[in-house]
Amino acid sequence: MKLVSLLSFFFFFFLLFVFCSQRELGEALSTRGGHANCPPRGWNSYDSFSWIISEQEFLQNAEVVSRRLLGHGYQYVVVDFLWYRRKVPGAYTDSLGFDVIDKWGRVIPDPQRWPSSKNGKGFTEVAKKVHGMGLKFGIHVMRGISTQAVNANTPILDVSTGRAYTESGRFWYAKDIGLKDRACAWMPHGFMSVDTNLGAARAFLRSLYTQYAEWGVDFVKHDCIFGDDLNVNEITIVSEVLKELNRPILYSLSPGTSATPTMAKDVSALVNMYRITGDDWDSWGDVAAHFNVSRDFAAAHMIGDKGLRGTSWPDLDMLPIGWLTDPGSNDGPHRKSKLNLDEQRTQMTLWSMAKSPLMFGGDLRKLDSITYESRRPKEMTALASHVLHLTSCKDHKAKGWVSEVLDNELERICWKDSRRNYRPPFCLYKRKPLVTVASDDEILHKQKYQGKHHLLALDSMESCLDASPKTKLTSQELKSSLFSPCRWDANQMWELNINETLVNSYSGLCGVVKNAKANVNSGGIRSWVATGRRGEIYLSFFNLSSRKMVISAKVSDLNRVHPWRSLHQGSCTYREVWTGKDYGVAKETISLAVAKHGCALLVLRCSP
């Protein structure tokens, strides 16, 4: 098999995209057009550097984007999470006490890794250099407020006065607004939600994004805020703040584990991008996991919907191609992508056909020298067990929970399954949260969660059902029902409603139960079709199975993308993009042999 350089693949994205006309692309690259008229394109540091990237490494990658990719629409360079964490022994992705914060409890860049941030400059100098390259600068931020700021009980800044925030005749501090029982589930030592009902909490969020604008930030990736970790109130407030700022900032949500179109409809108009999958890494299982969710969002007409100051786009996550590190690593980049050539083609083609934002994840400094090696990925195993998923409570599929009382007066909450004649295949024991020590916090929690319950797998257990995973999940991983020691955390508090929905207090989402075996099936074939800006038709075949397959499509079936035209045998010519082969006139049926995990991308030009 011929190996092709990474650079040629990366340039291919622009040729493939059917997102924008040249006029729209020009507007998207200027300040005149609406926000995110096209799915944003650029580079993100996470896949190659995890959290440890330095200012020098970041600017070196930005220079490559400016020199070689800007002309093809790649304009954003984004530094991912924990840019404020000191890289010292003991620091890792969920460590506590290693972050750099200012006197107002706001995280600021680690001056050892970001030397230009010294003397209170923040990212100002980095942003100026990025803008000087003709690019736009982005940062990753977490939900709410840092645990470190709450522990230090820092005052809240009122940006309208430049002084400490006062209301009702008193000063307000971090401990007044932080919700310890709503810590980020997969970074519990790092960040927690704020009580958005309080004016002080809203003032704190305003102070964060005002500072980002002052630094010259153009793109914010807001994490632990969507999917299982949904917090519509904070998203709404941040969106309102961004609308009021003089500086336009593109607003992106992450992560998206368990995201559904129903859930996305509540936030899509408030943002410009929102993740609809878990973290995408370089495994075939992660790639294959994107097909169903892409289909569902396309069918729901969510692609290119109305967004903040413009348009919003479902996001399939970064592209882990080239020279990478490992999730949560304190070292990197140090290895090649594990995806083979066919798998990378499949990923690129799906991302493009689904009109996902494109954020390249590999170290661009090694862009010219890297070639892909073929490796056989580990096969996913199917677990025959039930798993809990979360969805919007507006989703009709969320209804199906019933309560039943046993002979010993124990109460269970069970998921009905129509395939089993409504016999409950999955039940949880209901128990009121216990108070072991009557501390002030526990008394307040008891009042707050009146009517809510812990759910246990067995009545004798002391482990309760969590609504959100303790670690960031990849796209191929299923969120199984997770149990941990019972505590006063919102993600362990559940309420059964009269409409048969089971709602969680952490995110306001409702639980549904699915069979794990059905969810991990990534085999079969798929096909996507789209139109280009000059009337051409793009037809893609995807082979998700573990053997070579012949995939076919009838020319007459393509009429759905041109309902005003009648395509028939002999009216179209076509070629395959990846091989460059010209097939001439299309007959009644188009058929191609596609390698396992591979794809074919056809461009058809049809006469009236």
Side-chain angles (χ1 to χ4, degrees), residues 136-156:
K136 295 188 177 182
F137 175 61
I139 60 173
H140 173 288
V141 301
M142 293 290 292
R143 74 187 295 169
I145 190 170
S146 73
T147 304
Q148 193 164 319
V150 172
N151 290 345
N153 203 24
T154 52
I156 307 299

Side-chain angles (χ1 to χ4, degrees), residues 69-275:
L69 303 174
L70 176 60
H72 300 276
Y74 296 85
Q75 57 176 329
Y76 291 98
V77 287
V78 182
V79 54
D80 213 272
F81 74 156
L82 304 183
W83 36 266
Y84 35 84
R85 184 151 298 172
R86 292 183 290 123
K87 189 184 176 185
V88 295
Y92 60 98
T93 53
D94 190 33
S95 57
L96 176 60
F98 296 95
D99 294 345
V100 184
I101 60 175
D102 66 11
K103 66 178 182 179
W104 305 110
R106 301 176 298 183
V107 293
I108 55 178
D110 168 25
Q112 296 302 313
R113 289 192 289 138
W114 303 88
S116 70
S117 69
K118 296 177 180 178
N119 302 318
K121 292 183 179 179
F123 275 125
T124 303
E125 296 302 316
V126 171
K128 284 181 180 178
K129 291 180 180 179
V130 168
H131 295 154
M133 299 177 191
L135 303 174
K136 295 188 177 182
F137 175 61
I139 60 173
H140 173 288
V141 301
M142 293 290 292
R143 74 187 295 169
I145 190 170
S146 73
T147 304
Q148 193 164 319
V150 172
N151 290 345
N153 203 24
T154 52
I156 307 299
L157 173 65
D158 184 343
V159 295
S160 64
T161 65
R163 297 189 294 271
Y165 181 84
T166 60
E167 185 182 351
S168 301
R170 73 177 183 92
F171 292 102
W172 289 73
Y173 297 87
K175 285 185 178 179
D176 297 322
I177 65 173
L179 298 174
K180 292 184 178 180
D181 61 329
R182 296 199 181 192
C184 176
W186 52 265
M187 195 191 286
H189 295 104
F191 290 83
M192 64 184 73
S193 294
V194 294
D195 187 350
T196 53
N197 294 314
L198 299 175
R202 297 192 293 272
F204 176 75
L205 294 174
R206 185 178 302 277
S207 74
L208 291 179
Y209 289 85
T210 299
Q211 177 167 260
Y212 302 151
E214 291 172 350
W215 286 346
V217 170
D218 307 292
F219 179 110
V220 169
K221 176 182 175 181
H222 198 179
D223 210 337
C224 201
I225 196 76
F226 190 52
D228 289 342
D229 304 296
L230 180 67
N231 189 328
V232 175
N233 289 340
E234 184 167 328
I235 293 170
T236 301
I237 291 171
V238 170
S239 183
E240 290 172 352
V241 170
L242 292 178
K243 274 194 279 189
E244 295 170 1
L245 295 176
N246 292 328
R247 182 176 194 82
I249 296 178
L250 188 146
Y251 189 20
S252 171
L253 303 183
S254 179
T257 310
S258 300
T260 63
T262 304
M263 183 193 304
K265 288 182 185 297
D266 291 334
V267 300
S268 61
L270 303 173
V271 303
N272 305 110
M273 292 167 50
Y274 50 93
R275 278 269 298 282

Side-chain angles (χ1 to χ4, degrees), residues 43 49 53-67 133 363-365:
W43 177 78
F49 291 93
I53 192 168
S54 68
E55 180 173 333
Q56 181 183 23
E57 291 164 331
F58 180 79
L59 291 174
Q60 287 171 346
N61 275 273
E63 185 180 357
V64 178
V65 176
S66 175
R67 188 174 70 250
M133 299 177 191
D363 186 350
L364 292 173
R365 298 173 302 173

Side-chain angles (χ1 to χ4, degrees), residues 182 230 391-393 503-510:
R182 296 199 181 192
L230 180 67
T391 186
S392 169
C393 293
V503 63
N504 177 256
S505 297
Y506 174 72
S507 61
L509 298 174
C510 283

